[in-house]
Amino acid sequence: MKVTRRRIGELGIDLEQLRAGQAVVTCIPDMANVAWPAKAIFAGLSREDLEAAAQRSPAGTVDSAGDTVALSFNCYVIETPHYVALIDGGIGDGKERPHRPAWHRRETRFLDTLQAIGISPERVDIVINTHLHADHVGWNTRREGETWRPTFPNARYVVAEAELAHWTNVHEASADGNTLHGAFADSVLPIIQSVGFEAVASDAEVVAGLSLRSSPGHSPGMVVVALDTNEGEVLFLADAVHHPLQLGDDGIVCNFCEDPVQARATRLDLLGKAAAAGTVLAPYHFPAPVFGRLTAEAASFRFVPLDIEMPGQPAPNMRAEMRRPEGN
Ligand SMILES: [Zn+2]
């Protein structure tokens, strides 16, 4: 498998593109390299933990002096001769997220970026939501006047049945209708009420060579997604792992995991198998470079990015420098 950096000159960004068999996988971060307060995602991290994590993590991904970790929100587009699929839907534009300032009323170039690699919204055949958290479903919909419409009008929207059932129940029982920071109402319900979700088993094959794998814990029905190619497997990790610092200490738990014990078991199982098999990983929240393999080292893992063919200087979105999110 080969990774190249594709320059999108008119937008001043670079994208990582993986060629795997007949598939081309492009990483399109909806947000890249954002400095996130460490305690806001890993409440249990002490200053000492963060300093140790900075030592063993890739350059630029942990700032122990600033108490921040770098997070990206990586959507992936898979193009094969047979289909175009989008794995996870980012945060989206124009959403009301007053309790998440960095996600509130955004205006981005996400759809322009898709268009720049030749993907109009109409060309997307499959959208997979690995789970229904607000930072994974945003681009399911876009605003048209006062309503939210499917962004990808011709796509099958696929989600695990268990995940959809869980959050539907939570929403129906909620008093304020603000489930998932409002994402259920503006990014999930409008799909249910228009084109509909395809609610599938947690290990379903969505299309030949593209399958879900049950990975509960972070969210009750979360799945990861496996792309099978004649050069090996690519595994889209969703929120099984949030940050490279978790690879070196399996006790570091994200604040947003519904069932931390189950999430840890899921993570260790996935990582162990991926390290043993040499699987290429496509993590959702890791800053660039995003495509890599794991090596197992004693009780921990190390993420080793695939070599990238990089003509010229990388654009700002691909430098390992954290940025403050707008509005935070
Ligand atoms: Zn997430």
Side-chain angles (χ1 to χ4, degrees):
M1 294 192 212
K2 203 170 91 172
V3 183
T4 49
R5 207 178 69 205
R6 178 158 170 183
R7 163 76 39 101
I8 309 294
E10 67 268 32
L11 299 177
I13 60 171
D14 288 339
L15 301 174
E16 283 178 73
Q17 240 172 12
L18 172 77
R19 272 165 211 283
Q22 288 193 307
V24 176
V25 182
T26 308
C27 175
I28 305 195
D30 194 25
M31 290 180 89
N33 286 353
V34 172
W36 210 266
K39 292 236 183 250
I41 175 162
F42 303 117
L45 273 190
S46 66
R47 170 51 71 90
E48 294 73 46
D49 295 333
L50 205 58
E51 278 165 8
Q55 293 300 316
R56 61 165 193 269
S57 299
T61 63
V62 177
D63 176 0
S64 56
D67 272 328
T68 57
V69 295
L71 289 183
S72 289
F73 297 76
N74 301 318
C75 303
Y76 291 93
V77 175
I78 303 172
E79 288 178 78
T80 79
H82 310 293
Y83 64 86
V84 173
L86 175 69
I87 313 295
D88 274 328
I91 297 144
D93 272 10
K95 311 273 163 150
E96 295 288 322
R97 302 284 183 262
H99 301 296
R100 283 273 179 279
W103 299 351
H104 189 50
R105 298 181 181 174
R106 302 176 73 221
E107 283 180 48
T108 70
R109 309 293 300 274
F110 183 83
L111 293 179
D112 298 329
T113 308
L114 273 183
Q115 193 72 61
I117 62 163
I119 308 291
S120 64
E122 291 74 21
R123 271 198 68 203
V124 176
D125 302 302
I126 300 164
V127 174
I128 299 178
N129 291 153
T130 61
H131 60 302
L132 295 179
H133 285 179
D135 56 329
H136 294 256
V137 299
W139 281 107
N140 281 2
T141 58
R142 61 176 163 180
R143 190 192 282 280
E144 269 180 39
E146 288 309 300
T147 49
W148 293 100
R149 302 238 184 257
T151 306
F152 308 101
N154 302 319
R156 302 160 52 194
Y157 282 80
V158 177
V159 68
E161 200 170 10
E163 179 72 1
L164 186 61
H166 171 79
W167 291 110
T168 301
N169 289 338
V170 170
H171 185 68
E172 283 170 359
S174 85
D176 61 5
N178 207 31
T179 309
L180 298 165
H181 300 290
F184 195 92
D186 61 36
S187 307
V188 176
L189 260 186
I191 300 300
I192 294 173
Q193 293 167 346
S194 58
V195 293
F197 274 101
E198 212 174 295
V200 300
S202 295
D203 58 355
E205 186 175 58
V206 176
V207 63
L210 189 67
S211 307
L212 310 185
R213 293 215 183 122
S214 176
S215 306
H218 175 66
S219 188
M222 193 181 84
V223 296
V224 297
V225 181
L227 172 67
D228 189 25
T229 81
N230 60 20
E231 289 186 83
E233 184 177 282
V234 182
L235 193 64
F236 300 88
L237 277 181
D239 284 5
V241 191
H242 287 81
H243 190 276
L245 66 78
Q246 290 173 289
L247 300 173
D249 181 346
D250 65 40
I252 299 176
V253 173
C254 146
N255 302 352
F256 311 115
C257 288
E258 204 88 4
D259 181 338
V261 174
Q262 192 179 39
R264 176 173 175 271
T266 291
R267 180 165 72 245
L268 291 178
D269 179 56
L270 277 175
L271 297 179
K273 286 178 180 156
T279 304
V280 169
L281 301 178
Y284 190 73
H285 286 298
F286 286 19
V290 293
F291 297 107
R293 291 189 171 90
L294 290 179
T295 55
E297 298 177 351
S300 67
F301 301 94
R302 182 176 293 274
F303 184 71
V304 183
L306 301 186
D307 288 336
I308 306 180
E309 291 183 9
M310 305 203 357
Q313 284 294 308
N317 73 311
M318 286 196 52
R319 288 189 200 121
E321 284 163 10
M322 287 190 245
R323 295 183 300 110
R324 293 271 155 198
E326 314 80 42
N328 262 16

